[in-house]
Amino acid sequence: MSFLDQLNPQQREAVETTEGPVLILAGAGSGKTRVITYRIAYLIEPKGVMPESILAMTFTNKAAAEMGERVEKLVGGLSIAKPVISTFHSFCVRVLRRDIEVLQIPSAIPGKPPIGHTKKFVIYDESDQQAVVKGIMKRLGLDDKQLTPRIVLGRISWAKNHMLNPQELYLQSADPKTEKIAHLFEEYRKELLKANALDFDDLLLEATRLLKSSAPVREYYNRRFQYLLIDEYQDTNRPQYELMRMLAGERHNVCAVGDEDQSIYSWRGADIRNILEFEQDFPEAKIIRLEENYRSTQNILQAASAVVANNIRRKGKNLWTARQGGTKIGYYEAPDGENEALFAADHIAKYLREATALAENGRETPRAAVLYRTNSQSRLFEEAMRRYGLKYKVVGGFSFYERSEIKDLISYLKVIQNPDDSISLLRVINTPTRGIGKGTIDTLEHLALETGLSLWGAIGGALRRQLLPQRALASLKSFHELIEDARAMQAGTFTEQLAETAALAGSPQAMEGRTPSSVQRGEAPQPSNEADESTDADAVSQDATAFDPTEFTNFSFDFGAPELEVDSATDDQPDAAAAQPDPAESSESANSFPTPTVSTADLLKFLIDRTGYIKLLEAEDTPEAYSRIENLRELVNAAADSRDRAETLDQFLDHAALIADTDDYDQRSQITLMSLHAAKGLEFPLVFLSGLEEGLFPHSRTMLSPDDIEEERRLAYVGMTRAMDQLILTRAVYRRRYGSDLPEASVPSRFLDEVPAPLIEELATRRARQGTAGVGMGYVGTGTLARPAGRSPAAFADEASTHYSYEDEDQSSSWQQGPSGDRSPRQSGGAKPRSSSPTAPARPYNSIENIAEFFASRGKKFTVPKTPVEEPTGKRGFRPGQKVRHPKYGEGTVYQREGEGEEAKITVQFPRFGLKKLVEKYAQLERA
């Protein structure tokens, strides 16, 4: 095989060892993805293995998609079937969509449906889970401030990852708090069952339980998947480990690929013992080490290896690379967090300028990343990037599917798919406002609790029994009809339902029920419009085909084997069965999930029109409202893409629920800000590893446990090995922490001491490092690069070092308007500034405009005050931009003035103390 010649000897051995259990210890940057994809290709082409009998599982959608594309390039066109390459959660969803009803228990009451989840289950995200727990705590009268829903869910997730049920958690409890959580856990399970919902942990648990409890299902998958590949094996938790054991069957053709030095997810249940004890699980296993690194230079590799070598729980590898030498590891000790961020922005700006020139000559596009231990650290770096006018991408920020308007429409779709989803129903029952208030909702919840029905069942009961005031009943009936119409559209019975409704429209009851509330915003469409829309939707649906090979919608992911003695995926699809597909198309879509009569995009358009959602936003006539409208239109576009992939409604909702923060990473972004955990698996030519201070990295929560410290060290190793060409480590001498008015001194991280000194190059000059003595002596800044107060950045640049500080901006009138209308810095002597000094912004970093832009970029609302500040009339009359002196805080610059006379409030920016708001009469301010 020609493609095997592209592998090194260790990689080739890993590819060609196909039978029996294999553990591939793949060091950072050693080409593990290539090994996995080439192994799949090797099984298909020379070995003659059927593609659909190969299952590869990984952790992110992006990694699964990349593997699929690589395999397609290697063996494309050889077979219509494709190997199943999926994330763990996506694979479990597909298994459960097909067979979860096998777990149902017959009801003891004759005529009642069996107990358990159905194939129409919904997936709850974190906000849905919190809403469930909050409702349970409210019902039980528990204080959600002492025991927050987030804490409860964290403990429940921990129990699920260790495969403990509520009873086992209760028996293990050693304090009243854990006993209370165990009780909440039991109620939480009941609520999810009532809503026919699963959370992310349940997807793994229920799939594992299904394979354990049902021999026919397990035997089917053992026959179906003869070769199993597990990526990132060191990050698997107990349910994933059990799932792997169930799927391995008796053949034990398991290939686990991982690196114990990159096991960094114990906080979400990952168990490093899975990879350390692989040989105990499979005594006949073969161990293959991939030790040649293709990513980093020798210096970076030596530094990272020296750090992780201090761990005890590891198998050990000797990584090496052909890229000998390279730039030394940069180290910058900043006086404070602001300075650290500005140094990174300045260095990245210079790097991009130089690298862009080289890229024009055919070199790789320049990319840089700033990695940090906690997401809260991103704020300073975002502000610094904005100050330098640099475009950046924050990974792990405000997800598209987490935006309020998107969650509203997604919740509507969830209710259409599964009306018993009470959490989604509560979100949309009065969104947009339609006159269903808190009193009505409380009554419905009380009715549901008394009758044991879901909230949707309680709505039906309240309408039939007329249990509410007429105005509330009218609004509730309108909402009920909206959902029923949408469900009828999905089932293909909307035209018949419309005709039946029109026939009854003349009755007094129907007329009374269809009278909209005065506060209801959306109007029901005319029958002709609805019929046209239904007709258009039917026309669109004719384009629906079978599974798309790029997703899991291909023949190889068809789990509906006719010989299996359990229900197939098409047995319980009453909605889809109502619409008969064209015979010409049915042959193409054989063995696939049924296609709905209308697409998800059509349902969204219908919902937006009937609810008047966009009309309400247009009436607001604000930039934020129009941004939300664009988001809604983008959601419709996403649904249209889903239609083109022939995805059903539940598949679209599964995709929206399973998308991860790391899937937001855009490789085309030149600057990426992200946490160390999110950076796993990525690489960048330039990497800043920031906040290397005790208590921050390693984190304060890990200080008391040696195992946790080892994981923090592995996290440092992961961050260091993301760098291809240049790695810069930074820390702040002083850092402001929550709850303290003054910045606190920090202690250098122990990981800095573990990097060999000959590999480090300090990026601050000796004079600058000696500047710490200036703290508290009339110097601006705190720490190693303090400069005398009152001196401009340009003047300080004449000396040994450049000081990067938010206070560098000259707040006086020396900022002048250029002849062409641009603002440019002028030195007091009229000389032009040095080109080597950092580019100064057009406005202060903490100006109202910058703050507004910052919040807008994160999807938050921030209204810029439009009322101009009136000129002061008092004697003192301190004005914005003036230099002042305070007996306690020292020199500062007036930032804002509110009010008139001596009662005016003045906001002053003090370099060492930040913004302070003072009453002018008592402030004891003097002109500096």
Side-chain angles (χ1 to χ4, degrees):
M1 285 297 297
S2 59
F3 63 78
L4 292 182
D5 297 334
Q6 304 172 22
L7 305 175
N8 65 37
Q10 291 75 28
Q11 290 176 332
R12 183 158 185 161
E13 180 185 9
V15 168
E16 293 179 336
T17 307
T18 59
E19 304 303 314
V22 180
L23 175 61
I24 301 175
L25 294 175
S30 61
K32 70 176 180 65
T33 304
R34 168 178 284 197
V35 169
I36 294 174
T37 53
Y38 276 53
R39 183 183 173 90
I40 295 173
Y42 181 77
L43 286 169
I44 294 174
E45 200 160 331
K47 297 287 290 184
V49 175
M50 295 299 293
E52 60 268 30
S53 67
I54 302 171
L55 171 63
M57 288 194 288
T58 184
F59 280 85
T60 67
N61 296 316
K62 188 176 289 292
E66 182 182 355
M67 287 183 190
E69 291 171 2
R70 292 195 187 187
V71 172
E72 180 70 20
K73 289 179 181 177
L74 290 172
V75 297
L78 296 180
S79 172
I80 190 172
K82 307 294 179 185
V84 178
I85 303 176
S86 165
T87 65
F88 279 95
H89 289 89
S90 295
F91 176 79
C92 290
V93 167
R94 301 297 178 178
V95 171
L96 294 174
R97 289 284 182 211
R98 178 185 184 274
D99 292 318
I100 193 173
E101 293 178 1
V102 174
L103 296 173
Q104 289 182 339
I105 302 173
S107 175
I109 303 175
K112 289 285 186 178
I115 301 171
H117 292 88
T118 71
K119 297 173 185 178
K120 291 288 187 180
F121 66 85
V122 295
I123 303 172
Y124 275 1
D125 61 15
E126 185 177 355
S127 62
D128 297 329
Q129 294 173 254
Q130 289 195 32
V132 173
V133 173
K134 194 174 293 186
I136 295 171
M137 296 179 72
K138 179 182 177 182
R139 189 173 73 236
L140 298 179
L142 298 178
D143 185 5
D144 60 0
K145 294 182 176 59
Q146 296 294 326
L147 186 64
T148 65
R150 186 179 295 274
I151 293 176
V152 173
L153 285 170
R155 191 63 179 172
I156 290 175
S157 180
W158 178 90
K160 289 184 176 182
N161 284 325
H162 290 80
M163 303 190 77
L164 300 176
N165 60 34
Q167 291 75 22
E168 292 168 329
L169 181 62
Y170 179 82
L171 292 175
Q172 291 186 11
S173 62
D175 56 83
K177 179 179 178 181
T178 307
E179 292 180 4
K180 194 176 297 183
I181 291 175
H183 182 60
L184 291 170
F185 186 6
E186 177 65 26
E187 294 299 314
Y188 175 77
R189 287 211 311 184
K190 292 178 182 177
E191 288 298 319
L192 261 60
L193 181 60
K194 184 194 295 185
N196 194 26
L198 298 174
D199 62 23
F200 292 117
D201 295 322
D202 289 332
L203 297 178
L204 300 173
L205 285 173
E206 292 301 295
T208 303
R209 187 164 73 94
L210 174 64
L211 294 178
K212 280 186 175 182
S213 61
S214 175
V217 174
R218 182 176 64 254
E219 291 168 3
Y220 165 69
Y221 286 110
N222 289 157
R223 292 193 306 270
R224 170 67 188 276
F225 298 117
Q226 301 176 21
Y227 293 89
L228 180 62
L229 295 90
I230 308 294
D231 188 22
E232 306 287 5
Y233 188 64
Q234 76 281 350
D235 292 329
T236 53
N237 58 20
R238 175 74 183 280
Q240 289 163 337
Y241 167 80
E242 294 291 342
L243 181 68
M244 181 272 295
R245 294 298 301 269
M246 292 293 103
L247 292 172
E250 298 179 356
R251 293 188 183 89
H252 288 183
N253 286 336
V254 178
C255 176
V257 184
D259 180 5
E260 80 281 7
D261 289 335
Q262 298 188 65
S263 178
I264 59 175
Y265 295 112
S266 67
W267 49 274
R268 68 182 188 194
D271 192 346
I272 193 174
R273 293 179 301 175
N274 292 346
I275 191 170
L276 294 178
E277 300 173 1
F278 187 82
E279 299 96 319
Q280 298 179 22
D281 298 324
F282 302 99
E284 72 276 24
K286 183 172 184 178
I287 311 298
I288 301 174
R289 286 175 167 82
L290 305 182
E291 298 178 321
E292 182 178 359
N293 180 284
Y294 293 92
R295 176 188 300 153
S296 307
T297 63
Q298 186 66 30
N299 285 340
I300 294 174
L301 210 56
Q302 285 182 358
S305 298
V307 171
V308 79
N310 290 276
N311 277 356
I312 298 174
R313 303 179 70 192
R314 61 191 300 261
K315 289 180 173 290
K317 293 174 294 298
N318 296 314
L319 295 186
W320 62 278
T321 179
R323 301 184 63 194
Q324 295 299 316
T327 306
K328 286 189 175 184
I329 311 301
Y331 173 58
Y332 181 71
E333 190 174 81
D336 50 34
E338 292 88 346
N339 182 283
E340 178 188 38
L342 282 167
F343 171 78
D346 183 78
H347 192 96
I348 291 174
K350 292 176 182 176
Y351 161 76
L352 292 179
R353 284 196 300 269
E354 297 170 359
T356 301
L358 295 176
E360 293 174 354
N361 298 326
R363 297 285 294 276
E364 184 182 359
T365 303
R367 292 180 297 115
V370 178
L371 309 181
Y372 34 77
R373 178 62 179 83
T374 63
N375 282 315
S376 61
Q377 293 172 256
S378 71
R379 179 186 65 84
L380 293 175
F381 290 101
E382 289 191 63
E383 292 173 353
M385 298 300 168
R386 294 170 65 84
R387 183 176 185 217
Y388 275 77
L390 299 173
K391 294 182 179 180
Y392 60 91
K393 169 76 173 179
V394 180
V395 176
F398 206 55
S399 169
F400 175 78
Y401 288 99
E402 288 298 316
R403 298 181 185 276
S404 175
E405 62 276 8
I406 301 302
K407 284 188 69 68
D408 288 344
L409 268 296
I410 291 291
S411 295
Y412 268 111
L413 294 179
K414 286 182 177 180
V415 172
I416 292 169
Q417 181 201 22
N418 174 24
D420 291 330
D421 179 1
S422 298
I423 296 300
S424 298
L425 186 63
L426 282 172
R427 183 180 182 95
V428 301
I429 192 171
N430 199 40
T431 304
T433 305
R434 53 173 58 90
I436 302 175
K438 184 177 183 301
T440 301
I441 295 174
D442 288 343
T443 302
L444 293 172
E445 288 182 325
H446 185 69
L447 180 62
L449 191 62
E450 281 187 341
T451 60
L453 297 172
S454 65
L455 195 62
W456 178 256
I459 290 175
L463 290 174
R464 287 192 304 272
R465 297 161 59 187
Q466 300 285 302
L467 299 178
L468 296 166
Q470 286 302 313
R471 180 172 176 176
L473 284 173
S475 300
L476 205 59
K477 181 167 179 136
S478 177
F479 172 72
H480 190 271
E481 289 173 349
L482 168 65
I483 301 301
E484 288 293 353
D485 287 350
R487 286 174 57 80
M489 285 185 65
Q490 187 198 20
T493 60
F494 183 61
T495 305
E496 292 83 350
Q497 180 169 315
L498 189 63
E500 180 181 352
T501 304
L504 298 175
S507 66
Q509 294 85 356
M511 293 297 291
E512 181 182 2
R514 287 200 175 272
T515 302
S517 168
S518 60
V519 295
Q520 186 176 354
R521 302 304 182 99
E523 297 181 356
Q526 297 298 321
S528 60
N529 294 339
E530 291 179 337
D532 292 341
E533 184 172 3
S534 178
T535 304
D536 293 341
D538 291 337
V540 171
S541 69
Q542 298 301 317
D543 295 331
T545 57
F547 291 138
D548 186 291
T550 61
E551 292 289 321
F552 308 109
T553 52
N554 51 59
F555 292 113
S556 49
F557 213 81
D558 167 30
F559 293 165
E563 73 273 15
L564 183 63
E565 295 181 1
V566 293
D567 293 341
S568 68
T570 58
D571 287 345
D572 188 23
Q573 301 283 354
D575 294 342
Q580 298 296 327
D582 185 40
E585 294 181 350
S586 62
S587 61
E588 297 179 5
S589 58
N591 296 325
S592 65
F593 291 111
T595 304
T597 304
V598 296
S599 68
T600 305
D602 294 321
L603 279 176
L604 285 171
K605 293 175 183 176
F606 171 80
L607 290 169
I608 290 172
D609 180 67
R610 277 282 291 266
T611 61
Y613 205 122
I614 286 183
K615 291 180 181 178
L616 285 175
L617 292 175
E618 288 175 341
E620 290 184 17
D621 195 26
T622 63
E624 182 194 9
Y626 287 110
S627 175
R628 296 177 68 188
I629 291 174
E630 290 301 316
N631 290 335
L632 290 174
R633 289 171 177 165
E634 183 59 31
L635 179 64
V636 176
N637 292 339
D641 293 338
S642 172
R643 177 194 61 201
D644 294 341
R645 295 192 299 267
E647 290 182 347
T648 57
L649 174 59
D650 59 350
Q651 290 171 323
F652 175 77
L653 292 174
D654 291 345
H655 172 77
L658 295 174
I659 194 167
D661 289 342
T662 50
D663 297 322
D664 294 336
Y665 168 65
D666 185 358
Q667 195 170 2
R668 297 169 297 179
S669 299
Q670 287 194 321
I671 304 174
T672 304
L673 310 181
M674 64 199 316
S675 70
L676 283 156
H677 287 96
K680 179 89 181 316
L682 305 177
E683 59 183 26
F684 306 89
L686 171 62
V687 169
F688 276 83
L689 190 53
S690 62
L692 282 161
E693 304 143 32
E694 291 289 302
L696 184 57
F697 190 27
H699 199 278
S700 57
R701 291 195 302 264
T702 67
M703 294 297 192
L704 300 179
S705 170
D707 288 346
D708 290 344
I709 287 294
E710 287 206 356
E711 178 157 332
E712 291 289 292
R713 188 174 284 111
R714 292 193 293 268
L715 190 58
Y717 171 80
V718 168
M720 297 172 74
T721 53
R722 299 311 96 195
M724 301 166 63
D725 303 320
Q726 188 176 7
L727 170 64
I728 298 177
L729 311 177
T730 65
R731 66 167 288 250
V733 176
Y734 288 85
R735 190 177 295 276
R736 187 180 300 277
R737 301 184 186 277
Y738 178 77
S740 61
D741 291 333
L742 298 177
E744 297 178 0
S746 66
V747 177
S749 170
R750 66 191 71 188
F751 305 146
L752 290 172
D753 295 332
E754 295 169 358
V755 179
L759 298 178
I760 290 183
E761 174 188 6
E762 295 196 38
L763 302 181
T765 66
R766 178 174 301 177
R767 179 184 180 91
R769 293 195 302 274
Q770 292 172 347
T772 311
V775 178
M777 297 168 57
Y779 279 65
V780 175
T782 58
T784 60
L785 293 182
R787 61 174 171 81
R791 299 181 63 182
S792 68
F796 191 75
D798 291 337
E799 301 194 12
S801 177
T802 302
H803 173 67
Y804 305 91
S805 172
Y806 286 127
E807 286 77 45
D808 281 353
E809 302 174 74
D810 191 347
Q811 304 277 354
S812 67
S813 58
S814 60
W815 283 89
Q816 300 176 0
Q817 189 82 6
S820 60
D822 62 320
R823 294 182 57 171
S824 58
R826 306 290 179 87
Q827 297 183 14
S828 57
K832 294 182 179 180
R834 293 176 180 265
S835 58
S836 60
S837 62
T839 304
R843 58 196 181 205
Y845 85 100
N846 55 0
S847 65
I848 293 297
E849 293 80 4
N850 268 358
I851 293 173
E853 290 179 14
F854 173 79
F855 280 104
S857 68
R858 306 305 294 271
K860 306 290 185 180
K861 185 175 181 180
F862 186 92
T863 304
V864 179
K866 298 181 179 180
T867 306
V869 179
E870 298 182 7
E871 290 294 327
T873 57
K875 289 183 179 180
R876 306 175 192 272
F878 292 117
R879 301 170 184 272
Q882 283 186 333
K883 301 292 185 181
V884 296
R885 182 180 292 106
H886 188 273
K888 177 180 177 181
Y889 302 125
E891 289 192 1
T893 304
V894 177
Y895 173 66
Q896 188 180 24
R897 181 187 182 90
E898 303 173 59
E900 299 181 0
E902 295 184 343
E903 299 294 332
K905 296 179 181 179
I906 299 178
T907 304
V908 183
Q909 170 71 48
F910 295 102
R912 290 180 52 214
F913 298 91
L915 291 172
K916 298 291 182 182
K917 182 175 285 190
L918 310 168
V919 178
E920 185 176 33
K921 180 164 52 175
Y922 307 108
Q924 302 179 31
L925 292 174
E926 299 177 357
R927 287 185 172 84

